[in-house]
Amino acid sequence: MKRYRIGVLTSGGDCPGLNAAIRAVVCSASLLGWEVFGFIDGFEGLISPVRYQILNEEDTQGIISLGGTILGTTNRGRFTTKTGIGEVMRLPAHLIDEVKETLEGLGIGAIICIGGDGSLTAAQQLYEEGVPIVGVPKTIDNDLSATDYTFGFYSAVEFVCRSLDRLRTTAASHRRVMIVEVMGRYTGWIALYGGLAGGANLILIPEIPFEYSKIAYQVRKRIAEGNFQTMIVVAEGARPKEDPYYVVEEGKERPGEPRLGGVSRQLERVIHQMTGQDTRAVVLGHLQRGGEPTAFDRNLGMMFGAAAVGLIREKRFGYMVSYREGKIGSVPILEAIKELKKVDVHCPEIQTARAMGISFGEE
């Protein structure tokens, strides 16, 4: 008798915890007697030339601690649906038809998409066209609606925190202003959590536009109080009040989704000009996405993977697993992708930072 088959793929940017989710999918499906096909390089593996590997418990033994994804991934290619903030493209009909043909030809009854906002937007469009699919949220940015946390986030925050610990000693030795630029795109979750845990003096996030003059004032104030080093964490999507545009990495002003980056260099020049202090910028970049996952992200990834198999068993296609108030649940994918989850400027983390005298560059 032919075993029930499901597929799993990882799509979008890599992050710690992906392999933990894959492992949980394989183990949970195996207990049900199901066969798991892992598609290579995200949705691209579903179309010609079709690329996959059959996964079993032995193949995935020991991968929980590994960063990245054993299946490979891509955030570029033919399944790109997000082209900017709130801008969505429809997948071409021939791609959707080819995906259906692949699944039918391999006898796959459902597929699990592990991805972020863009990948889940593609998953939603496939579901609307009759593809049985469920979602698992992952992104270090933690910007997906309908879930409190995504795996990969805390691993990125941990790296930011450790980086600040290291940079503080060199900043103090040279009496410098040290600016640390972190990922997060249009939201400030990584900057907020990493900056707070790492003891930053200023945290600049997209949700609170900053003023150069206020930042310079905080630096001069610290010097007057005898504090000759200042640690600033800035999200790549942070912007000054007077500038409505995001800073885009030089040479990357391409159409579609821009590659943010460079705001720390801009701050470096302006702060030095306004205060005279030796100022240095450090861009953490993809270091935040690599490396082994924290225990929290391993556990969350496994809980999400197991729950995704449960959604398939219940035939709840078009749903995404979620984590809310300490419980694993599910929500329609459409609900999760309808808007970015931004930092609430009145949240406890912001209130804690303000109570401790941490500036957000607007006071």
Side-chain angles (χ1 to χ4, degrees):
M1 182 176 178
K2 190 174 180 180
R3 298 170 66 191
Y4 185 67
R5 293 175 174 176
I6 66 171
V8 61
L9 60 86
T10 53
S11 179
D14 69 300
C15 76
L18 285 169
N19 287 322
I22 293 170
R23 169 72 174 166
V25 167
V26 171
C27 291
S28 301
S30 294
L31 284 175
L32 295 172
W34 298 356
E35 197 169 19
V36 180
F37 283 53
F39 288 93
I40 308 302
D41 294 338
F43 288 111
E44 296 292 325
L46 286 164
I47 58 178
S48 183
V50 176
R51 288 157 292 143
Y52 64 85
Q53 64 181 98
I54 298 176
L55 299 174
N56 54 50
E57 292 189 59
E58 290 73 26
D59 296 327
T60 57
Q61 189 75 38
I63 68 171
I64 291 172
S65 62
L66 300 179
T69 164
I70 63 169
L71 294 177
T73 187
T74 179
N75 51 11
R76 296 287 178 266
R78 291 165 285 186
F79 286 84
T80 300
T81 55
K82 285 294 184 77
T83 58
I85 305 176
E87 299 173 11
V88 177
M89 293 191 306
R90 297 296 303 182
L91 292 174
H94 70 89
L95 284 183
I96 296 173
D97 290 339
E98 194 168 345
V99 168
K100 290 180 177 180
E101 290 173 8
T102 297
L103 297 180
E104 184 177 353
L106 293 174
I108 293 175
I111 192 162
I112 297 170
C113 169
I114 308 175
D117 181 45
S119 302
L120 290 173
T121 297
Q124 173 64 24
Q125 292 185 20
L126 288 170
Y127 168 69
E128 291 171 358
E129 296 298 326
V131 175
I133 193 166
V134 300
V136 169
K138 68 89 209 157
T139 168
I140 68 169
D141 300 335
N142 202 40
D143 59 0
L144 270 172
S145 296
T147 185
D148 292 343
Y149 296 108
T150 53
F151 61 82
F153 170 64
Y154 268 112
S155 297
V157 167
E158 181 72 17
F159 183 81
V160 172
C161 178
R162 298 306 176 202
S163 298
L164 287 172
D165 291 344
R166 288 176 174 270
L167 290 168
R168 181 177 296 100
T169 58
T170 186
S173 298
H174 292 272
R175 300 190 172 194
R176 284 176 176 151
V177 176
M178 195 68 74
I179 306 166
V180 181
E181 181 176 325
V182 304
M183 287 179 164
R185 296 197 64 76
Y186 308 113
T187 63
W189 294 105
I190 296 176
L192 176 59
Y193 274 65
L196 189 58
N201 306 114
L202 292 95
I203 301 173
L204 310 178
I205 60 177
E207 292 85 351
I208 305 177
F210 62 83
E211 296 181 47
Y212 289 114
S213 61
K214 300 297 175 62
I215 297 172
Y217 167 77
Q218 292 293 336
V219 172
R220 288 193 293 264
K221 180 183 176 203
R222 286 182 55 76
I223 294 171
E225 294 170 349
N227 299 311
F228 295 97
Q229 58 86 14
T230 300
M231 300 296 296
I232 301 174
V233 174
V234 58
E236 61 186 354
R239 295 178 294 178
K241 282 185 178 179
E242 59 271 20
D243 189 349
Y245 300 103
Y246 292 99
V247 179
V248 178
E249 191 175 328
E250 189 174 351
K252 305 296 182 181
E253 300 87 350
R254 64 179 184 275
E257 196 78 37
R259 183 180 297 178
L260 304 184
V263 64
S264 60
R265 303 294 183 191
Q266 192 167 289
L267 281 163
E268 179 184 25
R269 291 190 298 269
V270 175
I271 291 173
H272 176 67
Q273 291 170 359
M274 297 182 75
T275 67
Q277 284 294 105
D278 187 9
T279 306
R280 301 296 174 89
V282 176
V283 180
L284 297 184
H286 287 74
L287 289 167
Q288 297 158 85
R289 286 202 341 205
E292 64 181 28
T294 61
F296 180 87
D297 282 341
R298 298 181 197 194
N299 288 332
L300 188 61
M302 288 188 286
M303 287 191 286
F304 278 179
V309 172
L311 287 178
I312 292 177
R313 183 175 57 181
E314 297 168 6
K315 299 190 182 302
R316 298 182 66 201
F317 304 123
Y319 275 75
M320 179 195 85
V321 295
S322 65
Y323 180 87
R324 281 176 161 172
E325 299 180 351
K327 296 180 181 179
I328 298 295
S330 63
V331 295
I333 295 175
L334 190 60
E335 180 181 335
I337 62 174
K338 64 182 179 182
E339 62 181 0
L340 288 177
K341 183 182 70 178
K342 296 200 170 188
V343 174
D344 179 355
V345 297
H346 302 295
C347 69
E349 293 82 2
I350 294 282
Q351 293 175 357
T352 299
R354 292 192 188 281
M356 294 176 63
I358 299 172
S359 171
F360 288 89
E362 97 290 20
E363 65 282 299

